[in-house]
C-alpha cells in the first residue's frame, strides 16, 4: 500500500515579494551640452549620490546628491560644455551601503558636446 501526502499552501508567495534596487537612465541629444539623469530607487534610506568620472578614470568631473521623492524617483542634469576630456564618462549612482543601490552608466562627450544617448541600467531585483 502506498500513501502520498501533499501539502498545499493557500497563501501565494507574491504576498512576501518585495522589489529592491535602483534603476537609472541617462539621456542626451546629439551635439547638446546637457545630460539628463532620471532614476528610481526602492530604498528609503536617504539621498542618492551621483558621481561622474573622467574617461581616463583619474578625476572626479562632477558630484551631486538628489533626495528621492515619495515614489523613490530622482533626477538631475549635468552641463558638459566645460568637460575637457573626450570619451566615455562614467556616471555612478549610490544610495546607502548595499550593492543593490549602486549602478553605473557610460555617456560619451566629445568637444564639450554630448553624443545622442539613451541608456538605462537597473539593479532592480524581486525578492520572492
Amino acid at each position: 500500500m502506498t500513501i502520498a501526502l501533499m501539502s498545499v499552501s493557500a497563501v501565494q508567495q507574491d504576498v512576501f515579494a518585495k522589489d529592491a534596487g535602483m534603476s537609472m537612465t541617462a539621456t542626451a541629444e546629439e551635439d547638446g551640452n546637457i545630460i539628463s539623469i532620471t532614476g528610481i530607487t526602492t530604498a528609503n534610506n536617504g539621498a542618492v549620490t551621483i558621481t561622474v568620472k573622467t574617461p581616463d578614470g583619474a578625476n572626479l568631473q562632477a558630484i551631486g546628491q538628489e533626495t528621492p521623492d515619495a515614489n523613490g524617483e530622482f533626477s538631475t542634469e549635468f552641463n558638459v560644455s566645460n568637460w575637457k576630456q573626450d570619451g566615455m564618462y562614467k556616471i555612478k549612482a549610490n544610495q546607502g551601503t548595499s550593492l543593490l543601490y549602486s549602478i553605473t552608466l557610460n555617456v560619451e562627450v566629445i568637444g564639450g558636446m554630448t553624443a545622442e544617448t539613451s541608456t538605462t541600467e537597473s539593479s532592480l531585483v524581486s525578492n520572492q
Side-chain angles (χ1 to χ4, degrees):
M1 171 176 3
T2 304
I3 298 175
L5 296 175
M6 292 178 53
S7 174
V8 178
S9 174
V11 178
Q12 291 185 2
Q13 290 183 347
D14 291 350
V15 172
F16 302 107
K18 182 177 182 205
D19 290 338
M22 180 187 296
S23 179
M24 182 172 69
T25 300
T27 56
E29 294 182 14
E30 185 172 356
D31 294 330
N33 58 6
I34 300 293
I35 297 172
S36 297
I37 305 292
T38 58
I40 189 164
T41 178
T42 59
N44 58 1
N45 60 349
V48 175
T49 301
I50 301 168
T51 57
V52 182
K53 291 278 237 169
T54 55
D56 64 7
N59 296 303
L60 185 63
Q61 182 66 51
I63 188 166
Q65 279 195 325
E66 298 299 322
T67 301
D69 65 16
N71 297 320
E73 297 174 357
F74 60 93
S75 64
T76 192
E77 292 183 342
F78 293 105
N79 184 329
V80 304
S81 61
N82 64 348
W83 294 8
K84 302 298 181 203
Q85 285 187 22
D86 290 348
M88 297 298 278
Y89 284 78
K90 188 175 285 193
I91 302 172
K92 186 173 184 177
N94 288 1
Q95 184 183 30
T97 58
S98 171
L99 292 178
L100 284 176
Y101 303 100
S102 179
I103 53 179
T104 303
L105 296 172
N106 293 307
V107 176
E108 187 174 22
V109 176
I110 299 174
M113 304 294 271
T114 58
E116 185 173 0
T117 301
S118 181
T119 184
T120 299
E121 184 65 35
S122 180
S123 67
L124 289 173
V125 294
S126 182
N127 298 325
Q128 295 187 7

